[in-house]
mmCIF file of all heavy atoms in Angstrom:
data_model
loop_
_atom_site.group_PDB
_atom_site.id
_atom_site.type_symbol
_atom_site.label_atom_id
_atom_site.label_comp_id
_atom_site.label_asym_id
_atom_site.label_seq_id
_atom_site.Cartn_x
_atom_site.Cartn_y
_atom_site.Cartn_z
ATOM 1 N N GLU A 10 -4.409 26.009 -28.924
ATOM 2 C CA GLU A 10 -5.688 26.545 -28.548
ATOM 3 C C GLU A 10 -6.675 25.445 -28.040
ATOM 4 O O GLU A 10 -7.405 25.665 -27.154
ATOM 5 C CB GLU A 10 -6.366 27.334 -29.714
ATOM 6 C CG GLU A 10 -5.504 28.635 -30.057
ATOM 7 C CD GLU A 10 -6.147 29.308 -31.244
ATOM 8 O OE1 GLU A 10 -7.125 28.746 -31.775
ATOM 9 O OE2 GLU A 10 -5.646 30.396 -31.645
ATOM 10 N N LEU A 35 -4.076 0.549 -11.621
ATOM 11 C CA LEU A 35 -5.462 0.652 -11.276
ATOM 12 C C LEU A 35 -6.233 -0.675 -11.621
ATOM 13 O O LEU A 35 -7.034 -1.102 -10.783
ATOM 14 C CB LEU A 35 -6.097 1.773 -11.928
ATOM 15 C CG LEU A 35 -7.435 2.216 -11.555
ATOM 16 C CD1 LEU A 35 -7.531 2.636 -10.036
ATOM 17 C CD2 LEU A 35 -7.971 3.369 -12.422
ATOM 18 N N HIS A 54 -14.965 -23.168 -1.480
ATOM 19 C CA HIS A 54 -14.694 -23.873 -0.212
ATOM 20 C C HIS A 54 -14.375 -22.799 0.780
ATOM 21 O O HIS A 54 -13.971 -21.632 0.450
ATOM 22 C CB HIS A 54 -13.576 -24.845 -0.398
ATOM 23 C CG HIS A 54 -13.821 -25.860 -1.492
ATOM 24 N ND1 HIS A 54 -14.497 -27.021 -1.236
ATOM 25 C CD2 HIS A 54 -13.380 -25.867 -2.805
ATOM 26 C CE1 HIS A 54 -14.452 -27.770 -2.397
ATOM 27 N NE2 HIS A 54 -13.881 -27.069 -3.292
ATOM 28 N N SER A 55 -14.357 -23.148 2.024
ATOM 29 C CA SER A 55 -13.900 -22.278 3.181
ATOM 30 C C SER A 55 -12.387 -22.333 3.192
ATOM 31 O O SER A 55 -11.795 -23.424 3.014
ATOM 32 C CB SER A 55 -14.502 -22.697 4.438
ATOM 33 O OG SER A 55 -13.830 -22.061 5.523
ATOM 34 N N LEU A 61 -7.733 -33.889 4.921
ATOM 35 C CA LEU A 61 -6.445 -34.563 4.797
ATOM 36 C C LEU A 61 -6.444 -35.560 3.639
ATOM 37 O O LEU A 61 -5.473 -35.886 3.083
ATOM 38 C CB LEU A 61 -6.038 -35.338 6.027
ATOM 39 C CG LEU A 61 -5.842 -34.331 7.200
ATOM 40 C CD1 LEU A 61 -5.427 -35.189 8.505
ATOM 41 C CD2 LEU A 61 -4.719 -33.322 6.939
ATOM 42 N N PRO A 67 -2.573 -30.755 -6.899
ATOM 43 C CA PRO A 67 -1.901 -29.671 -7.793
ATOM 44 C C PRO A 67 -2.963 -28.768 -8.371
ATOM 45 O O PRO A 67 -4.085 -29.157 -8.447
ATOM 46 C CB PRO A 67 -1.154 -30.526 -8.848
ATOM 47 C CG PRO A 67 -2.038 -31.814 -8.934
ATOM 48 C CD PRO A 67 -2.558 -32.049 -7.551
ATOM 49 N N PRO A 68 -2.505 -27.606 -8.826
ATOM 50 C CA PRO A 68 -3.401 -26.661 -9.539
ATOM 51 C C PRO A 68 -3.841 -27.307 -10.924
ATOM 52 O O PRO A 68 -3.359 -28.186 -11.331
ATOM 53 C CB PRO A 68 -2.500 -25.475 -9.681
ATOM 54 C CG PRO A 68 -1.121 -25.918 -9.650
ATOM 55 C CD PRO A 68 -1.109 -27.099 -8.670
ATOM 56 N N ASP A 83 -3.454 -27.319 0.076
ATOM 57 C CA ASP A 83 -2.133 -27.229 0.841
ATOM 58 C C ASP A 83 -1.914 -28.575 1.602
ATOM 59 O O ASP A 83 -2.630 -29.562 1.380
ATOM 60 C CB ASP A 83 -2.082 -25.990 1.695
ATOM 61 C CG ASP A 83 -3.161 -26.049 2.731
ATOM 62 O OD1 ASP A 83 -3.908 -27.019 2.892
ATOM 63 O OD2 ASP A 83 -3.288 -24.988 3.415
ATOM 64 N N ARG A 92 -7.946 -19.603 0.119
ATOM 65 C CA ARG A 92 -6.991 -18.918 1.008
ATOM 66 C C ARG A 92 -6.316 -17.796 0.299
ATOM 67 O O ARG A 92 -6.001 -16.856 0.954
ATOM 68 C CB ARG A 92 -5.879 -19.986 1.567
ATOM 69 C CG ARG A 92 -6.501 -21.067 2.403
ATOM 70 C CD ARG A 92 -5.388 -21.998 2.979
ATOM 71 N NE ARG A 92 -4.535 -21.305 3.878
ATOM 72 C CZ ARG A 92 -4.784 -20.896 5.136
ATOM 73 N NH1 ARG A 92 -6.034 -21.192 5.685
ATOM 74 N NH2 ARG A 92 -3.794 -20.256 5.884
ATOM 75 N N VAL A 109 -2.871 4.585 6.864
ATOM 76 C CA VAL A 109 -3.682 5.711 7.449
ATOM 77 C C VAL A 109 -3.046 6.086 8.770
ATOM 78 O O VAL A 109 -2.896 7.279 9.132
ATOM 79 C CB VAL A 109 -5.081 5.212 7.605
ATOM 80 C CG1 VAL A 109 -5.897 6.270 8.378
ATOM 81 C CG2 VAL A 109 -5.778 5.129 6.242
ATOM 82 N N LEU A 160 -3.428 -10.071 14.038
ATOM 83 C CA LEU A 160 -3.800 -9.011 13.042
ATOM 84 C C LEU A 160 -3.686 -7.654 13.623
ATOM 85 O O LEU A 160 -3.106 -6.777 13.113
ATOM 86 C CB LEU A 160 -5.030 -9.420 12.350
ATOM 87 C CG LEU A 160 -5.516 -8.438 11.190
ATOM 88 C CD1 LEU A 160 -4.383 -8.421 10.164
ATOM 89 C CD2 LEU A 160 -6.905 -8.742 10.686
ATOM 90 N N PHE A 175 6.631 9.882 5.933
ATOM 91 C CA PHE A 175 5.685 10.874 5.838
ATOM 92 C C PHE A 175 6.202 12.213 6.525
ATOM 93 O O PHE A 175 6.002 13.341 5.901
ATOM 94 C CB PHE A 175 4.382 10.424 6.577
ATOM 95 C CG PHE A 175 3.542 9.419 5.950
ATOM 96 C CD1 PHE A 175 3.685 8.129 6.303
ATOM 97 C CD2 PHE A 175 2.666 9.762 4.944
ATOM 98 C CE1 PHE A 175 2.912 7.219 5.559
ATOM 99 C CE2 PHE A 175 1.867 8.849 4.284
ATOM 100 C CZ PHE A 175 2.021 7.572 4.643
ATOM 101 N N ARG A 187 6.007 27.551 2.587
ATOM 102 C CA ARG A 187 5.433 28.352 3.640
ATOM 103 C C ARG A 187 5.664 29.820 3.501
ATOM 104 O O ARG A 187 5.009 30.698 4.036
ATOM 105 C CB ARG A 187 5.953 27.924 4.985
ATOM 106 C CG ARG A 187 7.464 28.125 5.210
ATOM 107 C CD ARG A 187 7.950 27.621 6.474
ATOM 108 N NE ARG A 187 9.357 27.901 6.702
ATOM 109 C CZ ARG A 187 10.075 27.562 7.689
ATOM 110 N NH1 ARG A 187 9.464 26.868 8.706
ATOM 111 N NH2 ARG A 187 11.325 27.769 7.824
ATOM 112 N N ARG A 196 -1.960 34.935 5.320
ATOM 113 C CA ARG A 196 -1.511 35.315 6.621
ATOM 114 C C ARG A 196 -1.872 36.865 6.867
ATOM 115 O O ARG A 196 -2.281 37.259 7.988
ATOM 116 C CB ARG A 196 -0.143 34.941 6.821
ATOM 117 C CG ARG A 196 0.341 34.987 8.355
ATOM 118 C CD ARG A 196 1.829 34.712 8.450
ATOM 119 N NE ARG A 196 2.003 33.358 8.045
ATOM 120 C CZ ARG A 196 2.912 32.956 7.037
ATOM 121 N NH1 ARG A 196 3.401 33.913 6.235
ATOM 122 N NH2 ARG A 196 3.017 31.671 6.772
ATOM 123 N N ALA A 197 -1.675 37.637 5.730
ATOM 124 C CA ALA A 197 -1.795 39.085 5.957
ATOM 125 C C ALA A 197 -3.249 39.483 6.061
ATOM 126 O O ALA A 197 -3.599 40.485 6.780
ATOM 127 C CB ALA A 197 -1.234 39.772 4.674
ATOM 128 N N PRO A 203 -4.847 27.162 11.390
ATOM 129 C CA PRO A 203 -5.532 25.935 10.855
ATOM 130 C C PRO A 203 -6.124 26.121 9.358
ATOM 131 O O PRO A 203 -6.061 25.204 8.610
ATOM 132 C CB PRO A 203 -6.647 25.685 11.822
ATOM 133 C CG PRO A 203 -6.191 26.295 13.132
ATOM 134 C CD PRO A 203 -5.458 27.488 12.732
ATOM 135 N N SER A 208 -6.222 25.010 3.802
ATOM 136 C CA SER A 208 -6.679 25.510 2.576
ATOM 137 C C SER A 208 -5.525 25.981 1.628
ATOM 138 O O SER A 208 -5.662 26.065 0.423
ATOM 139 C CB SER A 208 -7.667 26.660 2.756
ATOM 140 O OG SER A 208 -6.979 27.751 3.430
ATOM 141 N N GLU A 225 4.224 3.436 1.388
ATOM 142 C CA GLU A 225 4.146 2.951 2.673
ATOM 143 C C GLU A 225 3.161 1.832 2.768
ATOM 144 O O GLU A 225 3.267 0.866 3.583
ATOM 145 C CB GLU A 225 3.809 3.896 3.777
ATOM 146 C CG GLU A 225 5.011 4.927 3.964
ATOM 147 C CD GLU A 225 6.266 4.281 4.258
ATOM 148 O OE1 GLU A 225 6.252 3.309 5.175
ATOM 149 O OE2 GLU A 225 7.300 4.655 3.737
ATOM 150 N N ALA A 229 4.156 -1.773 4.015
ATOM 151 C CA ALA A 229 3.501 -2.486 5.137
ATOM 152 C C ALA A 229 3.060 -3.849 4.748
ATOM 153 O O ALA A 229 3.176 -4.827 5.541
ATOM 154 C CB ALA A 229 2.284 -1.658 5.545
ATOM 155 N N LEU A 231 4.491 -5.791 2.464
ATOM 156 C CA LEU A 231 5.693 -6.658 2.426
ATOM 157 C C LEU A 231 6.172 -7.011 3.819
ATOM 158 O O LEU A 231 6.674 -8.143 4.078
ATOM 159 C CB LEU A 231 6.803 -5.905 1.669
ATOM 160 C CG LEU A 231 6.567 -5.869 0.125
ATOM 161 C CD1 LEU A 231 7.659 -5.029 -0.537
ATOM 162 C CD2 LEU A 231 6.553 -7.229 -0.492
ATOM 163 N N LEU A 241 5.855 -14.736 13.091
ATOM 164 C CA LEU A 241 5.547 -13.821 14.027
ATOM 165 C C LEU A 241 4.517 -12.766 13.702
ATOM 166 O O LEU A 241 4.383 -11.700 14.286
ATOM 167 C CB LEU A 241 6.841 -13.066 14.621
ATOM 168 C CG LEU A 241 7.755 -13.936 15.284
ATOM 169 C CD1 LEU A 241 9.121 -13.245 15.504
ATOM 170 C CD2 LEU A 241 7.237 -14.482 16.548
ATOM 171 N N SER A 249 -3.061 -15.857 5.126
ATOM 172 C CA SER A 249 -2.105 -14.610 4.827
ATOM 173 C C SER A 249 -1.163 -15.119 3.752
ATOM 174 O O SER A 249 -0.650 -16.240 3.797
ATOM 175 C CB SER A 249 -1.371 -14.247 6.050
ATOM 176 O OG SER A 249 -0.288 -13.429 5.686
ATOM 177 N N MET A 253 1.223 -18.298 3.785
ATOM 178 C CA MET A 253 1.139 -19.368 2.762
ATOM 179 C C MET A 253 2.475 -19.617 2.203
ATOM 180 O O MET A 253 2.801 -20.797 2.000
ATOM 181 C CB MET A 253 0.195 -18.914 1.632
ATOM 182 C CG MET A 253 -1.269 -18.868 2.043
ATOM 183 S SD MET A 253 -2.376 -18.073 0.914
ATOM 184 C CE MET A 253 -2.274 -19.273 -0.474
ATOM 185 N N GLU A 256 4.363 -21.587 4.890
ATOM 186 C CA GLU A 256 3.888 -23.007 5.048
ATOM 187 C C GLU A 256 4.333 -23.894 3.896
ATOM 188 O O GLU A 256 4.432 -25.100 3.956
ATOM 189 C CB GLU A 256 2.367 -23.020 5.153
ATOM 190 C CG GLU A 256 1.870 -22.462 6.491
ATOM 191 C CD GLU A 256 0.370 -22.333 6.489
ATOM 192 O OE1 GLU A 256 -0.260 -22.467 5.443
ATOM 193 O OE2 GLU A 256 -0.172 -22.143 7.611
ATOM 194 N N LEU A 262 10.876 -27.537 -3.208
ATOM 195 C CA LEU A 262 11.579 -28.305 -4.291
ATOM 196 C C LEU A 262 10.699 -29.280 -5.007
ATOM 197 O O LEU A 262 11.008 -29.665 -6.104
ATOM 198 C CB LEU A 262 12.833 -28.985 -3.826
ATOM 199 C CG LEU A 262 13.964 -27.942 -3.247
ATOM 200 C CD1 LEU A 262 15.084 -28.761 -2.608
ATOM 201 C CD2 LEU A 262 14.407 -26.983 -4.297
ATOM 202 N N PHE A 263 9.589 -29.665 -4.255
ATOM 203 C CA PHE A 263 8.779 -30.819 -4.809
ATOM 204 C C PHE A 263 7.452 -30.190 -5.272
ATOM 205 O O PHE A 263 6.876 -30.678 -6.268
ATOM 206 C CB PHE A 263 8.585 -31.870 -3.679
ATOM 207 C CG PHE A 263 9.857 -32.324 -3.024
ATOM 208 C CD1 PHE A 263 10.194 -31.878 -1.794
ATOM 209 C CD2 PHE A 263 10.584 -33.264 -3.685
ATOM 210 C CE1 PHE A 263 11.406 -32.331 -1.282
ATOM 211 C CE2 PHE A 263 11.730 -33.749 -3.117
ATOM 212 C CZ PHE A 263 12.221 -33.298 -1.841
ATOM 213 N N ILE A 273 3.582 -14.664 -6.459
ATOM 214 C CA ILE A 273 3.146 -13.889 -7.602
ATOM 215 C C ILE A 273 2.066 -12.888 -7.264
ATOM 216 O O ILE A 273 2.088 -11.722 -7.671
ATOM 217 C CB ILE A 273 2.807 -14.773 -8.811
ATOM 218 C CG1 ILE A 273 3.954 -15.527 -9.289
ATOM 219 C CG2 ILE A 273 2.109 -13.949 -9.906
ATOM 220 C CD1 ILE A 273 3.614 -16.517 -10.453
ATOM 221 N N THR A 293 -1.362 14.422 -11.478
ATOM 222 C CA THR A 293 -1.845 15.499 -10.612
ATOM 223 C C THR A 293 -0.739 16.458 -10.144
ATOM 224 O O THR A 293 -1.057 17.363 -9.354
ATOM 225 C CB THR A 293 -2.515 14.945 -9.339
ATOM 226 O OG1 THR A 293 -1.513 14.129 -8.573
ATOM 227 C CG2 THR A 293 -3.666 14.014 -9.649
#
Side-chain angles (χ1 to χ4, degrees):
E10 291 177 359
L35 189 61
H54 306 273
S55 169
L61 296 180
D83 62 7
R92 292 187 66 77
V109 170
L160 182 59
F175 286 96
R187 68 180 179 183
R196 194 180 294 116
S208 62
E225 292 306 317
L231 287 176
L241 293 174
S249 164
M253 292 170 68
E256 292 173 344
L262 299 178
F263 307 100
I273 292 176
T293 61

